[in-house]
Amino acid sequence: MHFGVDLGTTNSLIAVFRDGTPQLIPNALGQVLTPSVVALHQGRLVVGEAARAISLSQPAQAAGLFKRAMGTDRAYRLGQTDYNAPELSAMVLAALKADAEAHCGVPVSDVVISVPAYFNELQRKAVRAAGRIAGLNVTRLINEPTAAALAYGLHERDAEAKILVFDLGGGTFDVSVLDLFEGVIEVRASAGDAFLGGEDFTDALARYIATQSGLDANDPALRPALIKLAEQAKVGLSSDAQIHLQAELGGTPIDLHLTRERFDDITAPLLTRLAAPLDRALHDSGFTAQQIDKVVLVGGATRMAAVRAYAGRKLRQFPVIGLDPDQVVALGAAVQAALVARDAALDDVVMTDVSAFTLGCDTARQIGNTYREGYFQPIIERNSIIPTSREEMFSTIQLGQEVLRFRIFQGESPLAMNNLALGEIEVKVPRNMEHHESAIVRFTYDVSGLLEVDVTVQSTGKKASLVISKLAGEMSEADITAALKKMAALKQHPRDDAANIHLRTRIEAAYGMARAEARDWVANLLVQLDAAIDAQDPHTLTALRRDLHKALDEFEAHYVT
Ligand SMILES: Nc1ncnc2c1ncn2[C@@H]1O[C@H](COP(=O)(O)OP(=O)(O)OP(=O)(O)O)[C@@H](O)[C@H]1O
Ligand SMILES: [Mg+2]
């Protein structure tokens, strides 16, 4: 059995590859999508749907959307303790691991985790760290659109086609162009925007709703309910051309008619940001829009009518949704796990991927008879097939110079400082007053899109010990050890409690929204739940939970009609 994880901005999934095919694994609530939200409930950790419910009623007790802070040192406060994004991601991963172990009856250690193709070195390292903190051995990182293509390609094993994967998730946008032939899946190019996703559309709509209703969109007390309302409205507009919003937020009544056209106007600036990555991926792939045989939509946010229409217009064809857009990345990650483990069922499948960024270092260039520093010297160009290894020779600028120092960058700007600094490496060279000393810098990009650098001095053959300096947001060995301790100290709710906590939180939130006689009705739901928990009959409890959720769905539904 091989396991693959889609660690998403809004939802995460785990899938297993067995009997020659990938399958999704349900969580303790029986769902395959686990919201990427963690929360404290009575001082104990909960993850997923229950945590999402808590984030609405007690935002200070919950954290979400932390994938956006991967590779930064942003801290999220949960109760009395600060956690960084890898630590919070590790909590989600640990929950998925527990679900997989409960479902498959085996310990889960080796996993492949998907990352946005446009995730940089620091963000990738943060995902690796999260895996370790969760007690997992991350055998490989796979780019999300590549995972989607893998699931898709396996599904249509005999297809020969040029495919464009258009992946708009909750927080990230990725485009990959692939060539499928005779069991070979070749990624030709990837591009994207690591800060563009469905949540930005929700946010834009939330601001509009707030402005129209005379509310402050940034008011932390209103924000969770406002975002929830905007999310409901956004999803509603994916199936209906217009909706009617009726709600009360912090005592202010909201009564708005919203049409798709209005929504499209509000979100137009976001739509235009889809163009650049599409153009770049197409350009780098060497194909024209006309040559693309299929456009595959991935990610929940591609359910928006405007996004589909945009993809269709731009690529001059109707996009297809082959497999479930929410699930396809996790399925592909499991396929990749099977490929890494050389599962016999995949003997005839070959896949190659590319790096989405250019990697290089800073250099000085001669201008007249002086040298000016700060120019970017690419070593591995973007969209090179990975793994790959390239080298470049650099020389001292001055005679007698004793140290060669290289700063390593990732990005597409000719000026080093406009690219992302990944670290530095330094090497001592002999003091030479007659000739310039030189060194070979070798960059190796591995299959997970992670970089290794080494430097060899030509005259002495001496290699530089790899001292890529620690950057803000990067976790050292010591940080990871500390995080493991922190996690061990965190009390967990038993997996079986998740369903009850989720329902209880929903009831409590509904109580907060309701008034007068509706309040009594809601309070009574809580009494029913407590009675069923005390009675300890699992069948009655399961049936009751289902009924109560349904009742709450109906209760919430008249907020958006
Ligand atoms: N019916 C719908 N209409 C509009 N948007 C939707 C719909 N269903 C889901 N979404 C949006 O899709 C997004 C979540 O998609 P998905 O689960 O693919 O993202 P993710 O994998 O968590 O994020 P990422 O891949 O960016 O890390 C959310 O912003 C959600 O609001
Ligand atoms: Mg995703």
Side-chain angles (χ1 to χ4, degrees):
M1 280 187 266
H2 315 292
F3 297 91
V5 172
D6 173 3
L7 186 60
T9 310
T10 43
N11 296 301
S12 295
L13 306 87
I14 185 162
V16 57
F17 188 93
R18 62 176 168 198
D19 307 327
T21 138
Q23 301 153 21
L24 292 164
I25 296 174
N27 59 25
L29 304 183
Q31 293 157 350
V32 295
L33 289 180
T34 298
S36 307
V37 183
V38 302
L40 290 179
H41 178 79
Q42 295 163 351
R44 286 169 184 259
L45 176 71
V46 279
V47 174
E49 204 61 61
R52 191 164 71 165
I54 293 170
S55 75
L56 292 170
S57 48
Q58 300 152 265
Q61 300 296 313
L65 301 182
F66 35 81
K67 181 171 175 179
R68 292 198 141 174
M70 290 297 252
T72 73
D73 48 14
R74 172 160 176 200
Y76 294 77
R77 175 142 283 224
L78 215 56
Q80 304 300 315
T81 317
D82 280 343
Y83 296 95
N84 62 21
E87 289 169 337
L88 297 168
S89 304
M91 298 174 198
V92 175
L93 289 172
L96 297 175
K97 171 175 150 80
D99 290 334
E101 287 175 345
H103 184 79
C104 301
V106 295
V108 174
S109 167
D110 288 2
V111 293
V112 167
I113 303 181
S114 63
V115 294
Y118 218 59
F119 251 22
N120 64 39
E121 175 86 7
L122 285 175
Q123 293 167 309
R124 282 167 198 263
K125 281 192 177 148
V127 173
R128 273 251 148 114
R132 287 186 52 198
I133 300 167
L136 292 167
N137 174 35
V138 182
T139 57
R140 183 78 63 92
L141 301 176
I142 182 173
N143 291 329
E144 286 164 12
T146 307
L150 204 46
Y152 194 81
L154 201 69
H155 198 66
E156 309 205 349
R157 218 184 260 213
D158 304 322
E160 298 231 336
K162 296 177 182 38
I163 295 180
L164 184 142
V165 179
F166 181 110
D167 179 357
L168 188 65
T172 58
F173 177 49
D174 273 332
V175 186
S176 284
V177 178
L178 303 114
D179 206 358
L180 248 64
F181 53 94
E182 294 167 7
V184 177
I185 301 167
E186 188 179 293
V187 181
R188 297 282 295 243
S190 291
D193 186 332
F195 297 94
L196 177 62
E199 295 309 296
D200 299 301
F201 288 73
T202 305
D203 197 63
L205 187 54
R207 285 176 192 285
Y208 175 80
I209 295 171
T211 313
Q212 293 295 309
S213 317
L215 290 166
D216 175 8
N218 297 320
D219 181 346
L222 289 181
R223 204 167 155 75
L226 183 61
I227 292 289
K228 180 170 184 191
L229 190 67
E231 165 82 22
Q232 274 177 293
K234 177 182 82 170
V235 170
L237 284 170
S238 291
S239 43
D240 301 317
Q242 61 174 37
I243 54 159
H244 183 198
L245 274 184
Q246 257 186 313
E248 201 190 280
L249 288 187
T252 307
I254 289 177
D255 192 349
L256 271 179
H257 283 280
L258 259 178
T259 60
R260 257 191 205 160
E261 286 72 33
R262 196 82 271 266
F263 178 64
D264 294 352
D265 286 345
I266 297 162
T267 56
L270 296 170
L271 268 194
T272 59
R273 285 171 58 195
L274 297 170
L278 277 170
D279 290 338
R280 181 185 276 185
L282 268 180
H283 171 269
D284 286 1
S285 75
F287 300 141
T288 59
Q290 283 82 357
Q291 283 175 296
I292 299 292
D293 300 304
K294 250 182 207 164
V295 175
V296 178
L297 296 181
V298 179
T302 58
R303 293 209 173 88
M304 284 183 283
V307 171
R308 286 183 187 197
Y310 181 85
R313 258 196 330 272
K314 181 95 185 150
L315 298 156
R316 304 198 190 118
Q317 58 185 289
F318 283 114
V320 299
I321 302 130
L323 300 165
D324 188 320
D326 297 320
Q327 304 180 352
V328 58
V329 171
L331 293 171
V335 174
Q336 177 66 280
L339 279 173
V340 172
R342 301 185 180 280
D343 190 290
L346 299 175
D347 260 356
D348 53 342
V349 179
V350 177
M351 196 209 54
T352 62
D353 205 349
V354 295
S355 65
F357 293 94
T358 300
L359 291 163
C361 48
D362 67 336
T363 184
R365 296 216 193 283
Q366 197 167 7
I367 296 176
N369 43 19
T370 61
Y371 281 91
R372 190 170 304 165
E373 295 188 1
Y375 294 97
F376 181 54
Q377 171 65 52
I379 295 182
I380 297 178
E381 299 279 352
R382 74 164 187 261
N383 289 318
S384 302
I385 292 177
I386 53 174
T388 182
S389 192
R390 296 269 161 79
E391 54 184 42
E392 190 80 30
M393 196 180 81
F394 293 87
S395 302
T396 52
I397 296 174
Q398 287 155 0
L399 292 174
Q401 185 177 333
E402 285 175 278
V403 173
L404 270 172
R405 198 161 138 257
F406 302 94
R407 288 192 297 158
I408 296 148
F409 293 90
Q410 170 172 338
E412 311 305 324
S413 167
L415 297 179
M417 61 176 267
N418 292 344
N419 294 319
L420 176 79
L422 297 180
E424 308 190 343
I425 188 164
E426 232 181 51
V427 63
K428 274 208 161 55
V429 294
R431 191 176 146 82
N432 187 333
M433 299 309 292
E434 269 143 50
H435 304 289
H436 286 281
E437 283 286 327
S438 55
I440 305 275
V441 177
R442 170 170 285 277
F443 274 34
T444 307
Y445 218 19
D446 76 5
V447 280
S448 294
L450 289 164
L451 175 69
E452 254 177 58
V453 181
D454 58 71
V455 181
T456 314
V457 179
Q458 281 205 301
S459 61
T460 61
K462 228 177 99 184
K463 274 195 194 289
S465 53
L466 182 82
V467 271
I468 293 198
S469 55
K470 182 179 177 306
L471 298 158
E474 189 174 342
M475 292 186 83
S476 64
E477 281 304 309
D479 293 337
I480 291 178
T481 311
L484 281 164
K485 280 213 187 100
K486 211 158 134 190
M487 295 288 279
L490 199 59
K491 290 203 185 70
Q492 309 248 352
H493 269 291
R495 206 173 153 264
D496 296 345
D497 287 356
N500 294 338
I501 296 171
H502 174 216
L503 181 53
R504 175 178 294 277
T505 311
R506 266 195 89 184
I507 297 173
E508 285 170 9
Y511 188 83
M513 279 195 285
R515 283 198 301 190
E517 64 273 31
R519 274 217 147 155
D520 296 337
W521 174 81
V522 177
N524 180 257
L525 302 183
L526 201 55
V527 174
Q528 289 182 49
L529 174 64
D530 283 335
I533 292 172
D534 287 350
Q536 293 189 345
D537 174 12
H539 288 293
T540 321
L541 185 57
T542 308
L544 177 79
R545 276 199 304 252
R546 210 174 25 237
D547 291 348
L548 296 190
H549 273 300
K550 227 166 117 199
L552 285 166
D553 286 344
E554 280 161 22
F555 171 81
E556 283 179 3
H558 54 242
Y559 279 80
V560 179
T561 55

